[in-house]
Amino acid sequence: MKTAVVGSINMDMTVTAERIPLKGETLKGEDIRYIPGGKGANQAVATARLGAQVEMFGCVGDDDSGRKLLANLKATGIATDCIRVIPNVPTGLAVITIGDHDNTIIVVAGANDYVDKAYVDSIRDELLICDIVLLQHEIPQETVEYVVDICHQHGIPTVLNPGPARPVKQETIEKISYLTPNEHEAVILFGKDLSTEDLLKKYPEKLVITQGSRGVSTCLKSGEVLQVPARKAEVVDTTGAGDTLNGAFTVEIAGGKDIREALQFANTAASLSTEKFGAQGGMPTYKEVINAMKS
C-alpha cells in the first residue's frame, strides 16, 4: 500500500523555556534547536517510521533549510521525486515555543504557498497511483479542496487533518473519507450548536476528534460513541503528537483495520511520540507501538 502526503515542509525553530510566555511578556529561553518539521513532512515521517511506503508532495525553497529537509525525508525512506524546489523563495518556517508540557506555534508558509493547483496538476499521475492520501491545512485551502475532489472522483480515500484551524466547505467535508480535528479545530469547522457527541453521531466513522490527554473519540456506524483513552506517558515534548496520530491512523486504515483498531494503534503511537524531543525525533516504529500496546 502506498500513502501520499500532500502538505507542508518546514524547518522548526524550537525554543524551550520554563513555560509559555504571557501576552507582552519576555522570558529567558533555555535552548534553541532547528529541527525538520511541517505538518505534512511530520505526518509523512510518522507514516514511514511505521513501515509504510510513502510519497511526499510539496515545495521547499532553494536554500539551506530546503536542502536539509529534502535530505532528511530521503533518509527516512520517503520518496521525494515530486517535491518542487522554488527559486528565490524561503523554505517554510515554524517558530515553536515549548514550556510546561505544552507548546505554541507560529508558521511562516514560504514555499508551502506554492503547493497550488498548478503544482497538483503537475504531479497528478503520481498522486493517482497512491492508495490513500493524507492532507493538512498548512498549504492553500483551494489546493486541499482540489486534491480532495480529484481523489473523490477516482475513489481514493482521503484523510484531512484540518490544522491549523480554518473553515472547510460542507461539500469538501462530504467528500473526505476521514476528518481528524482537535477540539478547537472542530469548533472552527462546525460551530458550537452541537455537543461533541451529537457532532460525532452526525458523521459516523468519518469524524475523529482528538482530545489531548483525554484521548480520541469517534462514532461507530452502530451509533456507539467510541472514546479511546490516552496512554499514560512521561511527557517531554507534545509537538508531534497530533501528526504521529494522523500518520499512524492512516497506516492502519490503509492496511484494512477497522476504525476502533486504527484509533487504538494511533493513540498509542501518539503517546509514545511525546516521550522524546522534537516533532519527528520521537515518532515510534511499528514494533515499538505494538510492544507498548501489549504492555
Side-chain angles (χ1 to χ4, degrees):
M1 303 294 287
K2 186 175 183 179
T3 299
V5 180
V6 184
S8 57
I9 306 169
N10 293 335
M11 184 63 79
D12 289 353
M13 185 181 76
T14 303
V15 177
T16 56
E18 181 180 357
R19 58 178 172 82
I20 305 297
L22 302 173
K23 183 178 179 180
E25 182 182 26
T26 300
L27 294 179
K28 182 181 179 181
E30 297 171 357
D31 187 28
I32 184 169
R33 304 186 194 187
Y34 291 87
I35 304 170
K39 289 185 71 64
N42 288 346
Q43 292 179 18
V45 169
T47 306
R49 196 72 60 82
L50 292 165
Q53 181 186 2
V54 186
E55 176 99 24
M56 182 75 210
F57 298 90
C59 297
V60 296
D62 185 16
D63 54 20
D64 190 51
S65 289
R67 288 183 283 275
K68 287 179 178 178
L69 294 173
L70 282 173
N72 176 70
L73 291 170
K74 290 177 183 176
T76 313
I78 296 166
T80 61
D81 294 346
C82 291
I83 295 175
R84 181 171 295 171
V85 178
I86 309 297
N88 304 315
V89 173
T91 296
L93 176 71
V95 181
I96 302 171
T97 303
I98 296 172
D100 194 26
H101 305 308
D102 206 350
N103 67 80
T104 61
I105 306 174
I106 296 175
V107 178
V108 181
N112 293 307
D113 278 343
Y114 288 77
V115 186
D116 53 18
K117 291 170 70 174
Y119 168 76
V120 173
D121 286 336
S122 74
I123 54 88
R124 183 185 180 113
D125 290 346
E126 288 298 319
L127 185 67
L128 291 177
I129 63 173
C130 295
D131 298 291
I132 193 167
V133 177
L134 176 56
L135 300 122
Q136 318 78 30
H137 271 179
E138 288 183 345
I139 56 176
Q141 185 65 23
E142 67 172 10
T143 306
V144 172
E145 295 167 1
Y146 191 49
V147 172
V148 169
D149 284 344
I150 291 171
C151 292
H152 186 258
Q153 290 165 13
H154 290 83
I156 299 171
T158 50
V159 180
L160 175 60
N161 176 221
R166 64 190 182 208
V168 177
K169 293 178 181 177
Q170 185 62 34
E171 62 187 90
T172 301
I173 291 174
E174 296 299 332
K175 293 174 182 176
I176 294 164
S177 307
Y178 302 96
L179 184 64
T180 62
N182 61 26
E183 292 173 290
H184 168 66
E185 290 157 357
V187 171
I188 300 297
L189 291 172
F190 300 107
K192 298 180 179 180
D193 293 340
L194 294 177
S195 67
T196 298
E197 182 173 333
D198 288 341
L199 190 57
L200 291 168
K201 288 182 175 180
K202 187 176 179 181
Y203 299 99
E205 299 197 21
K206 174 194 285 276
L207 180 60
V208 172
I209 299 179
T210 61
Q211 299 164 308
S213 61
R214 289 183 288 115
V216 58
S217 297
T218 193
C219 179
L220 304 179
K221 289 180 180 176
S222 65
E224 174 194 353
V225 173
L226 174 67
Q227 174 78 33
V228 181
R231 167 186 170 273
K232 291 184 179 179
E234 296 295 325
V235 177
V236 174
D237 180 4
T238 62
T239 307
D243 293 331
T244 302
L245 185 143
N246 277 276
F249 175 74
T250 301
V251 167
E252 294 295 274
I253 290 295
K257 297 293 177 64
D258 65 31
I259 198 164
R260 184 193 298 267
E261 293 173 305
L263 288 177
Q264 289 170 341
F265 181 89
N267 222 15
T268 303
S271 71
L272 286 171
S273 77
T274 68
E275 296 183 338
K276 296 179 183 178
F277 189 86
Q280 296 178 13
M283 291 175 172
T285 63
Y286 187 85
K287 184 177 180 180
E288 287 171 336
V289 178
I290 294 300
N291 287 341
M293 292 178 73
K294 288 178 179 177
S295 63

